[in-house]
Amino acid sequence: MRPSHLMTPIFVAFALLAAMPASAAGDAAKGERLFAQCRACHSLGAGENRIGPHLHGLFGRAAGSVEGYAYSAAMRQSGVVWEQDSLDAHLAQPPKFIPGNKMGAMFARGVPNAQDREDLIAFLRQATAQ
Ligand code: HEC
């Protein structure tokens, strides 16, 4: 076998590895399954508020800004903008990041596992933009 034939599978393996997403990024498919615990209170579609506000257009949105949803004063006045770090902090400890917000009382457990939060946020990034 000529050396070039030996090299081909190795080259293909490296090409595949390079095409894979960075390992630090969340897994959106896992995140979708994790979102099951949020669905009772949150829809992803614009305009559909449930117990909590809809999450459409979440990234870059100011906390407490969905029209027609009755937020707590704590969330409305928090000055928080939703992006990777603020979502991570809110989901890690819903009662603590914005003290006095309503989700903290209803879902105090939050999402304690950091990789789960990473996966969930990767899913939200896709699903709330559509
Ligand atoms: C039992 C109901 C409930 C569950 C479960 C729940 N939330 Fe909430 N969530 C709320 C409520 C209520 C608010 C509004 C809080 C307020 O006004 O103080 C809220 C607010 C939020 C906000 C801020 C939205 C905005 O417009 O500022 C985000 C983001 C959020 N929730 C994400 C999640 C995610 C992700 C999950 C699942 C891991 C989840 N929530 C689970 C009830 C819930």
Side-chain angles (χ1 to χ4, degrees):
M1 200 188 273
R2 279 185 292 131
S4 64
H5 287 138
L6 279 172
M7 292 306 285
T8 304
I10 297 170
F11 178 78
V12 168
F14 274 110
L16 284 174
L17 272 179
M20 278 162 61
S23 61
D27 180 335
K30 282 192 189 143
E32 181 166 19
R33 292 197 288 278
L34 290 162
F35 190 72
Q37 60 193 316
C38 322
R39 263 186 214 284
C41 297
H42 293 288
S43 85
L44 297 163
E48 270 182 68
N49 296 322
R50 295 183 183 155
I51 296 168
H54 75 73
L55 300 180
H56 184 76
L58 184 65
F59 287 77
R61 195 168 99 182
S65 65
V66 166
E67 245 352 87
Y69 179 79
Y71 288 97
S72 63
M75 188 150 282
R76 250 186 302 112
Q77 294 163 7
S78 64
V80 165
V81 172
W82 295 120
E83 35 73 31
Q84 182 81 27
D85 291 350
S86 52
L87 281 170
D88 186 68
H90 176 59
L91 296 176
Q93 291 185 305
K96 294 241 171 93
F97 180 60
I98 299 174
N101 87 90
K102 291 196 288 183
M103 178 167 146
M106 296 177 190
F107 186 60
R109 156 175 81 84
V111 183
N113 181 285
Q115 185 60 51
D116 285 354
R117 291 196 302 278
E118 197 72 40
D119 294 345
L120 196 47
I121 292 168
F123 168 69
L124 286 173
R125 199 177 282 284
Q126 295 176 0
T128 63
Q130 287 160 9

